[in-house]
Amino acid sequence: MSQDNVFDALSSKRSRYVLTYLRAVESSVEILELVETVAEWETGKPIDLVSEEHCGRVATSLRHSQLPKLSMMGMVEYDEADGVVERGPHAEQADAYLDVASERDENVSV
């Protein structure tokens, strides 16, 4: 994967959050867990303080934009039918960039 493709994959904060979380858990996760984590990190609040509307926007964005794009690039494996996501074969190419982004984002807690 070219450096431009890696940067394209990481251009969205939500995509960076997805990849950061999947790297931390080192297993497949259900979409709902991913949505809640991304919503918490975006708002800097625990999930019980995040609005349902915000969670809905995150879910729609992940399902229709970020996850398909990351899947096409091989950064995640996304099983839409089962609602499960895991790191893809090219995910490690983004790890160094994710380290820098995570260190600079006070809302990320992994």
Side-chain angles (χ1 to χ4, degrees):
M1 176 178 279
S2 74
Q3 185 177 25
D4 286 342
N5 285 341
V6 172
F7 286 149
D8 185 36
L10 299 176
S11 65
S12 163
K13 184 178 266 192
R14 285 185 178 156
S15 292
R16 292 191 302 272
Y17 284 165
V18 165
L19 294 171
T20 298
Y21 187 67
L22 292 175
R23 182 172 68 159
V25 296
E26 298 180 357
S27 65
S28 61
V29 297
E30 292 186 12
I31 296 287
L32 179 59
E33 179 180 346
L34 200 52
V35 167
E36 289 179 348
T37 300
V38 170
E40 285 179 337
W41 289 355
E42 281 186 345
T43 62
K45 300 176 184 175
I47 195 62
D48 57 331
L49 297 178
V50 178
S51 73
E52 287 183 30
E53 292 82 13
H54 186 79
C55 288
R57 286 190 299 273
V58 171
T60 299
S61 174
L62 292 185
R63 285 190 175 111
H64 296 289
S65 182
Q66 275 76 37
L67 294 176
K69 180 178 181 177
L70 292 172
S71 178
M72 187 176 63
M73 295 178 151
M75 298 289 233
V76 302
E77 292 185 1
Y78 171 43
D79 186 335
E80 187 174 359
D82 289 338
V84 175
V85 183
E86 63 185 298
R87 277 172 59 97
H90 298 297
E92 66 185 32
Q93 293 181 12
D95 285 350
Y97 303 107
L98 290 174
D99 288 340
V100 173
S102 295
E103 288 174 13
R104 295 175 181 206
D105 192 329
E106 61 190 37
N107 291 338
V108 173
S109 58
V110 287

